[in-house]
Amino acid sequence: MAKQSSVRQLAARAITRVTLGESLGSVLPQLQEKLSKKDQPLLAELSYGTLRYYHRLDAWLKFLTEKPLKEKEQDIHNLILVGLYQLFFTRIPPHAAIGETVQVTRTMGKAWARGLVNGILRNAQRRVEELHDLEERSPVCDWSHPKWLINTIKRAWPEDYQAILTGNNQPPPMTLRVNEQKIKPARYLKKLLDDCITAKQSKIAPQAITLVRPSAVDKLPMFHEGAASVQDESAQLAATLISAKPGDHILDACCAPGGKTCHLLELNPDITVDALDADSVRLERVAENLQRLGLTANVLCGDATDPDSWFPGKAYDHILLDAPCSATGVIRRHPDIKLLRKAEDIDALAQLQQKILKAIWPLLKPGGTLLYATCSIMPQENHLQIEQFLSETPDARLQSIDGPWGHDTGFGKQLFPGSGSSVNSGDGFFYSLMVKMDS
């Protein structure tokens, strides 16, 4: 079994690699392989939690030190952040949080930092009221988001920005998608309750069941038989917004990891789906998901902006474009986005989305529909994007989206992350539905 100090060392290493540009989703599995299964959840908790509150912890650390640590000592900087996270956001006893964190300096070969780490963490305990006063003086410290992102969200959604930023700092719920080809949602919910797994059905997504506490998938009834998959409630709306009928031919563009592809096939077993993505590695996940659920799709590796390189030639009745985006609607699931995403990325992504829209629109039959979806809350990627597309595409018409969810922007519906409302607890998503008119 790995020592607990090793867990903290690996957590600090995970934070450092994210600050250098890697995603936590790619880093964490590599580091977890170095630990026993028993220690892996603690590494995940320390890594996700420290990144979730990185900007607040960093502001605290600057307050507690007379001068910033040198660039070459970023590993010590991030180790202290992990220590602060344990002290103020976990139930780990303070003596253990400090002792184990200080011990890491030896295993890192930086015993000189032992006194420094110990002193800062103990000083933080003594000056807790001053640390909290910082939150009142600094929005970055208060919301634990970068300044550009706070300002952008505030400008875009002045009445909702506080709820959005608060939601971004909450751990996300675990939601299942029930495969109605195997079992009805109400019956699956009963199976969960019979297994002492408390859960509730969604009020907006018919196949969605949200667990009160996350569970290992191995403990879910009939999971390996394909009765359920893990998928956020908001993401599950996509397949329900496409009115497919038997025999329809559908393109799922930018489909990886394939959750929406599988949902479409679960709801409509007599359709054919071309599942397209440019990332061959992520397409392996699509194939795995299809296989586990016993579903079949035509998996295509190709660039959505260049249909000539992959389009099989048969026009589509419906297109689902799950466009590449800033992922600012799923920050609570991926807190590393706060560090990885930059302000200038938004315009670049909006241009790419526009290019994809224009490239795949000709592949849609007259009378067919295109559902545009992002997991973003940025207007440039969402309703402003659709407004521009409609103004430049004479044969495109907006269709209304009904349902007791989301904010109607006039060009589609916007869901905010973790609103905490009685209706929706899902991620931040945007949906817009367009129909192609006869030319």
Side-chain angles (χ1 to χ4, degrees):
M1 182 191 305
K3 294 179 180 178
Q4 294 302 297
S5 56
S6 298
V7 178
R8 289 159 176 84
Q9 182 179 1
L10 293 175
R13 191 179 301 172
I15 308 306
T16 299
R17 288 177 62 174
V18 169
T19 60
L20 293 174
E22 294 185 74
S23 73
L24 185 59
S26 63
V27 168
L28 190 59
Q30 298 171 23
L31 298 180
Q32 284 181 315
E33 287 181 358
K34 301 177 185 294
L35 297 172
S36 68
K37 285 193 176 298
K38 180 175 177 292
D39 291 322
Q40 291 176 4
L42 179 58
L43 175 59
E45 160 64 19
L46 297 183
S47 301
Y48 275 96
T50 302
L51 288 170
R52 186 166 286 127
Y53 289 100
Y54 180 91
H55 294 83
R56 182 180 300 176
L57 300 172
D58 186 57
W60 286 354
L61 178 53
K62 286 174 181 170
F63 176 77
L64 292 166
T65 51
E66 294 181 358
K67 57 182 180 180
L69 288 165
K70 295 177 181 176
E71 188 69 27
K72 66 179 181 180
E73 308 301 349
Q74 282 306 296
D75 51 353
I76 296 296
H77 172 277
N78 293 327
L79 175 64
I80 296 171
L81 298 190
V82 172
L84 290 170
Y85 174 73
Q86 293 170 78
L87 279 178
F88 294 100
F89 294 96
T90 73
R91 294 182 178 178
I92 297 172
H95 71 274
I98 294 175
E100 295 290 349
T101 303
V102 169
Q103 186 63 27
V104 172
T105 58
R106 288 187 180 277
T107 55
M108 291 171 75
K110 296 191 174 183
W112 61 267
R114 181 182 177 89
L116 175 70
V117 174
N118 184 60
I120 290 174
L121 295 180
R122 294 195 183 282
N123 199 19
Q125 282 185 298
R126 289 191 293 268
R127 304 178 72 179
V128 61
E129 290 188 10
E130 292 174 79
L131 296 181
H132 289 313
D133 286 344
L134 281 179
E135 296 163 28
E136 296 183 8
R137 301 201 300 269
S138 165
V140 171
C141 182
D142 187 20
W143 296 114
S144 197
H145 281 61
K147 185 176 181 180
W148 76 267
L149 187 54
I150 295 171
N151 292 339
T152 302
I153 294 174
K154 189 174 182 178
R155 281 195 302 271
W157 308 106
E159 295 180 1
D160 301 290
Y161 81 96
Q162 292 178 319
I164 294 170
L165 295 172
T166 300
N168 284 348
N169 288 336
Q170 303 301 313
M174 181 176 177
T175 301
L176 305 178
R177 184 188 75 242
V178 179
N179 181 358
E180 293 204 23
Q181 296 297 317
K182 303 279 185 179
I183 187 171
K184 295 298 180 187
R187 195 167 157 224
Y188 191 77
L189 177 61
K190 185 174 184 309
K191 281 188 170 291
L192 288 170
L193 298 175
D194 288 345
D195 287 356
C196 299
I197 300 175
T198 309
K200 61 179 180 180
Q201 270 192 271
S202 167
K203 294 181 179 178
I204 64 170
Q207 291 78 40
I209 292 177
T210 299
L211 307 186
V212 172
R213 293 184 183 82
S215 169
V217 295
D218 290 339
K219 296 181 179 177
L220 298 174
M222 300 175 63
F223 181 82
H224 294 292
E225 299 166 43
S229 302
V230 178
Q231 188 180 36
D232 178 74
E233 177 185 53
S234 298
Q236 291 188 41
L237 293 169
T240 68
L241 294 173
I242 294 176
S243 300
K245 61 183 185 301
D248 277 354
H249 185 45
I250 297 178
L251 171 66
D252 183 358
C254 311
C255 69
K260 299 179 182 70
T261 303
C262 294
H263 196 193
L264 277 167
L265 290 163
E266 289 170 0
L267 294 178
N268 310 280
D270 296 323
I271 62 173
T272 57
V273 176
D274 285 348
L276 173 76
D277 203 277
D279 189 329
S280 59
V281 175
R282 282 166 56 81
L283 278 175
E284 292 176 8
R285 287 279 310 279
V286 178
E288 291 170 4
N289 285 327
L290 288 165
Q291 183 176 25
R292 182 179 70 83
L293 297 168
L295 302 169
T296 302
N298 181 29
V299 178
L300 300 170
C301 186
D303 180 352
T305 66
D306 182 23
D308 288 344
S309 65
W310 54 264
F311 178 48
K314 181 182 177 183
Y316 297 103
D317 298 288
H318 305 281
I319 293 176
L320 167 57
L321 171 54
D322 194 4
C325 69
S326 62
T328 43
V330 292
I331 285 176
R332 59 183 187 162
R333 292 189 190 281
H334 306 285
D336 51 335
I337 290 171
K338 294 182 194 177
L339 280 79
L340 298 173
R341 188 63 68 210
K342 306 300 178 190
E344 55 270 26
D345 294 342
I346 307 302
D347 284 343
L349 285 162
Q351 290 175 20
L352 174 62
Q353 293 152 3
Q354 187 178 109
K355 192 174 180 182
I356 295 174
L357 267 170
K358 289 182 176 179
I360 63 172
W361 183 256
L363 312 184
L364 186 64
K365 288 179 180 177
T369 60
L370 185 149
L371 180 66
Y372 177 84
T374 73
C375 56
S376 166
I377 59 169
M378 297 297 173
Q380 303 98 307
E381 300 181 88
N382 297 336
H383 63 271
L384 297 180
Q385 179 74 270
I386 298 303
E387 181 180 17
Q388 180 178 345
F389 180 75
L390 288 168
S391 70
E392 297 173 350
T393 313
D395 60 348
R397 294 286 186 279
L398 189 70
Q399 282 202 322
S400 63
I401 295 177
D402 297 325
W405 52 268
H407 172 76
D408 189 348
T409 65
F411 293 94
K413 278 199 162 185
Q414 179 73 63
L415 290 143
F416 297 130
S419 62
S421 73
S422 59
V423 176
N424 172 48
S425 61
D427 289 336
F429 261 78
F430 175 79
Y431 289 111
S432 184
L433 189 63
M434 292 173 284
V435 62
K436 188 171 191 176
M437 312 302 289
D438 285 322
S439 55

